[in-house]
Amino acid sequence: MNRLEEVQVKLQRVRHLIEQRQLSGLLLKTQPNFSWLTAGGLNSVGIATELGVTSILVTPDGLYLIANTIEAPRAMKEEGLGELGFTLLTFDWYENRELQLVREIVGDGSVGCDVAVSGLLHIADDVAKLRYELTEGEVDRYLFLGTKVSTAIENTLMEVKPGDSEAEVIGRLCAELWKDRIDAVGYQSAADERAYLYRHPIPTMRRVDKYLMLCINARYKGLVTSITRLVHFGQPASELLRQFRHNLEIECAMIAKTRVGRPMREPLLTAIEMYEQLGYAGEWKLHHQGGAMGYYARDIRVTPTTQDLVGKNQAFCWNPSISGTKTEDAFIATPDGPKMITGPVVYPAVTVESNGFEFKRPGMLVL
């Protein structure tokens, strides 16, 4: 599937939604939805916002890029939107004519939007569901991203030394990712006791003594994956190794239980039972356990009452944690079982069997 074919598949989904909701058009303004519909295009300049600097308008028979005079030339040329069939609607940078241009195309009809805009119908949840089933091209991009991220985080941790700060380790990891135009959209780094104290340990200048947990959400052409790895200097305590193994077993059980057509809550309910059976009752309440992902780090944070079903070729990442340990690798739920996105590359591998599947998982690196 080439890029144009992928865009056409997605336009069919969008136009079906337009027909279902009896709309005259759909306006997409967020960075994730731009990347999704354009099969990997980027409309971001600033990173501290969900909104893109250009918008897409889809009608039953039209496809438009709405951009000011600053963004229009690059978007049409470097993002290849002309070749993908987009018609450019442009305005001067010192004006705000986006909605006027929309109305010139669709008239007084109802228009949906992926963000709240006065006069438009906010249907972000409906749009999100269009993204869930990955195309062939998206699967290929995800596997590329997963290999690069797995390699980058493990190579970075292989080079960590006691005395390095949490922040500088993150900096080295980001530098590795940027070699492939992969950007970090979230990161955590926890040295020693911080790994036990906080579930979201944003990086500080705390220096590593014996133990480091490193996590990152990394984005490539809009798709986001998550990963966590651990390194210990010197032989870890047997209790820590036992806990880490239990953490892996919980995650593998969750992956194995993520079956197409089944409720997303089933893997979580399985995990809750295992937490209790293994002696960690209540730990699951200290942090969300993950869920569906794609153009966001988590499209759905699954809870015990989530009603959504696992979709075909939908990406997931579970992240069970016990105070001091966390395991986290991403995968795609397929009719034949899980296809791993991330996994061990240079780290020691651990084999875990769960519900008829054999998983090759990263162990804890000991230096």
Side-chain angles (χ1 to χ4, degrees), residues 53-54 66-73 89-95:
V53 294
T54 61
I66 303 178
N68 65 32
T69 51
I70 300 172
E71 309 300 339
L89 303 176
T90 190
F91 56 94
D92 289 322
W93 64 265
Y94 49 85
E95 298 179 327

Side-chain angles (χ1 to χ4, degrees), residues 61-122:
D61 56 6
L63 177 62
Y64 305 89
L65 174 75
I66 303 178
N68 65 32
T69 51
I70 300 172
E71 309 300 339
R74 193 203 67 79
M76 293 300 288
K77 183 177 181 180
E78 290 192 341
E79 301 301 336
L81 300 189
E83 299 171 0
L84 296 177
F86 283 77
T87 298
L88 175 63
L89 303 176
T90 190
F91 56 94
D92 289 322
W93 64 265
Y94 49 85
E95 298 179 327
N96 186 9
R97 298 185 58 238
E98 180 176 273
L99 292 182
Q100 180 182 339
L101 292 172
V102 169
R103 287 302 172 192
E104 288 177 4
I105 297 296
V106 304
D108 295 329
S110 180
V111 177
C113 189
D114 57 353
V115 298
V117 175
S118 178
L120 305 185
L121 185 63
H122 187 199

Side-chain angles (χ1 to χ4, degrees), residues 274-318:
M274 290 185 68
Y275 273 112
E276 184 169 356
Q277 292 169 359
L278 294 169
Y280 309 105
E283 285 278 339
W284 70 276
K285 295 182 179 180
L286 302 179
H287 189 220
H288 76 82
Q289 301 295 293
M293 68 177 194
Y295 289 83
Y296 289 86
R298 296 294 182 269
D299 277 320
I300 300 172
R301 286 186 178 181
V302 176
T303 73
T305 59
T306 296
Q307 298 300 306
D308 300 78
L309 303 181
V310 176
K312 176 185 175 184
N313 292 339
Q314 186 171 12
F316 279 82
C317 191
W318 302 112

Side-chain angles (χ1 to χ4, degrees), residues 12-310:
Q12 289 178 2
R13 298 182 193 177
V14 171
R15 289 182 170 133
H16 181 63
L17 174 62
I18 288 173
E19 181 180 2
Q20 280 186 319
R21 297 299 298 262
Q22 297 182 322
L23 302 173
S24 296
L26 176 63
L27 184 66
L28 301 177
K29 295 177 63 63
T30 67
Q31 296 178 28
N33 285 329
F34 183 95
S35 292
W36 170 73
L37 186 55
T38 60
L42 300 175
N43 71 337
S44 57
V45 174
I47 62 172
T49 176
E50 183 183 18
L51 294 178
V53 294
T54 61
S55 300
I56 292 172
L57 175 65
V58 183
T59 69
D61 56 6
L63 177 62
Y64 305 89
L65 174 75
I66 303 178
N68 65 32
T69 51
I70 300 172
E71 309 300 339
R74 193 203 67 79
M76 293 300 288
K77 183 177 181 180
E78 290 192 341
E79 301 301 336
L81 300 189
E83 299 171 0
L84 296 177
F86 283 77
T87 298
L88 175 63
L89 303 176
T90 190
F91 56 94
D92 289 322
W93 64 265
Y94 49 85
E95 298 179 327
N96 186 9
R97 298 185 58 238
E98 180 176 273
L99 292 182
Q100 180 182 339
L101 292 172
V102 169
R103 287 302 172 192
E104 288 177 4
I105 297 296
V106 304
D108 295 329
S110 180
V111 177
C113 189
D114 57 353
V115 298
V117 175
S118 178
L120 305 185
L121 185 63
H122 187 199
I123 56 170
D125 290 345
D126 290 337
V127 174
K129 293 174 183 177
L130 304 181
R131 301 191 307 261
Y132 291 168
E133 182 176 343
L134 300 174
T135 65
E136 292 177 15
E138 287 171 315
V139 171
D140 289 342
R141 293 196 293 277
Y142 243 143
L143 296 180
F144 172 86
L145 171 62
T147 298
K148 293 295 184 179
V149 173
S150 299
T151 302
I153 193 171
E154 293 183 4
N155 280 336
T156 297
L157 286 170
M158 291 284 287
E159 300 299 323
V160 171
K161 293 178 173 56
D164 290 344
S165 74
E166 296 170 345
E168 66 181 305
V169 175
I170 286 289
R172 292 178 203 152
L173 173 54
C174 290
E176 285 298 308
L177 294 175
W178 272 108
K179 292 176 181 178
D180 291 292
R181 189 48 179 92
I182 297 169
D183 54 322
V185 294
Y187 30 74
Q188 300 161 39
S189 186
D192 301 288
E193 75 279 357
R194 293 189 75 238
Y196 294 83
L197 293 174
Y198 309 116
R199 286 315 206 262
H200 279 166
I202 61 174
T204 71
M205 296 307 295
R206 170 74 164 80
R207 298 194 177 276
V208 181
D209 183 16
K210 293 185 177 298
Y211 187 42
L212 180 66
M213 177 189 296
L214 196 62
C215 323
I216 198 156
N217 295 332
R219 180 173 61 185
Y220 177 70
K221 295 184 181 294
L223 289 166
V224 181
T225 195
S226 304
I227 191 169
T228 295
R229 293 291 185 268
L230 308 176
V231 62
H232 197 282
F233 296 95
Q235 184 61 30
S238 59
E239 180 56 33
L240 179 60
L241 291 175
R242 176 175 173 272
Q243 176 178 311
F244 175 74
R245 175 72 188 200
H246 288 161
N247 212 136
L248 272 180
E249 291 172 356
I250 293 170
E251 187 194 2
C252 288
M254 297 179 82
I255 296 172
K257 284 284 188 177
T258 309
R259 296 171 292 184
V260 175
R262 300 295 301 170
M264 291 184 188
R265 66 180 179 273
E266 286 187 354
L268 176 58
L269 296 176
T270 295
I272 291 171
E273 291 180 7
M274 290 185 68
Y275 273 112
E276 184 169 356
Q277 292 169 359
L278 294 169
Y280 309 105
E283 285 278 339
W284 70 276
K285 295 182 179 180
L286 302 179
H287 189 220
H288 76 82
Q289 301 295 293
M293 68 177 194
Y295 289 83
Y296 289 86
R298 296 294 182 269
D299 277 320
I300 300 172
R301 286 186 178 181
V302 176
T303 73
T305 59
T306 296
Q307 298 300 306
D308 300 78
L309 303 181
V310 176

